[in-house]
Amino acid sequence: MRIRKLTGEKCFLSPMDTEDADLYAQWLNDLSVVRNTSMSSKVITKENEKDILRQLSQEHNYGIIDMETDELIGSCGLMDIDSINRTCETGIMIGNSRYWDRGYGTESLYLLIDYAFKYLTINNILLRVFSFNERAVRCYKKLGFREIGKRRNAVILEMKYHDIIFMDLLPEDFYREQ
Ligand SMILES: CC(C)(COP(=O)(O)OP(=O)(O)OC[C@H]1O[C@@H](n2cnc3c(N)ncnc32)[C@H](O)[C@@H]1OP(=O)(O)O)[C@@H](O)C(=O)NCCC(=O)NCCS
């Protein structure tokens, strides 16, 4: 049975499990998913994904589990936690695209961010998103993230240049939005 660490209405977040390596490897080889992330140029096998999951599971990275089916649908995490300045970065990937646009991304990030503010004393969360990823930008804005700048032409994908949008979130923005 999967461990429930942070529980919402649609989904819960569970510590990462190396047993899920095959599913992660499938998603990370699906270019329609990873074109939205920095992983489209990486080589991912079932075997190296196990090692990656083992490492990721040591930090604040979690599987997103659909409450109704108990199915793993993606993952999200907090990176580069700086406990002196109380900052970190966040990232998310719903690997199973049948779950896109159904509120799972917003709810899983809500759970993770609420945890970061309340239990890890984080005060500022950064994220980066490719400028064409309007679904992700909309999801982040719903949570209270604000655009703070753009790195221009910093991604070359499918033979085109794209900007990287930087967004950040403070507790007052996050709790005002809820
Ligand atoms: C980005 C991602 C995390 C969002 O999660 P999600 O569960 O699909 O998002 P939600 O359903 O919570 O919210 C998406 C919102 O974007 C809207 N949306 C969808 N397509 C859109 C588009 N082309 N333009 C503008 N808004 C769009 C949806 O209508 C919804 O807004 P609403 O609730 O106001 O109707 C998820 O789709 C995903 O993992 N995608 C692939 C990997 C990825 O992009 N990761 C993020 C990298 S920065």
Side-chain angles (χ1 to χ4, degrees), residues 97-131:
S97 56
R98 283 184 288 111
Y99 282 88
W100 291 359
D101 282 337
R102 292 165 58 187
Y104 285 87
T106 306
E107 185 174 282
S108 42
L109 278 181
Y110 175 84
L111 295 170
L112 184 67
I113 291 165
D114 185 53
Y115 173 72
F117 287 147
K118 287 184 179 160
Y119 296 94
L120 306 180
T121 73
I122 294 292
N123 187 54
N124 178 300
I125 301 179
L126 177 75
L127 65 75
R128 299 163 214 230
V129 54
F130 297 163
S131 49

Side-chain angles (χ1 to χ4, degrees), residues 32-33 36-37 92-95 99-107 109 127-130 133-136 138-140 142:
S32 68
V33 175
N36 298 294
T37 75
I92 180 168
M93 182 188 80
I94 296 185
Y99 282 88
W100 291 359
D101 282 337
R102 292 165 58 187
Y104 285 87
T106 306
E107 185 174 282
L109 278 181
L127 65 75
R128 299 163 214 230
V129 54
F130 297 163
N133 194 351
E134 291 171 358
R135 173 182 291 112
R138 169 78 189 127
C139 168
Y140 303 147
K142 282 195 290 180

Side-chain angles (χ1 to χ4, degrees), residues 19-45:
E19 297 289 308
D20 294 318
D22 289 9
L23 195 49
Y24 280 105
Q26 261 180 48
W27 295 334
L28 292 166
N29 282 286
D30 179 347
L31 286 172
S32 68
V33 175
V34 292
R35 69 186 290 280
N36 298 294
T37 75
S38 57
M39 298 300 288
S40 58
S41 57
K42 304 279 191 282
V43 176
I44 303 284
T45 64

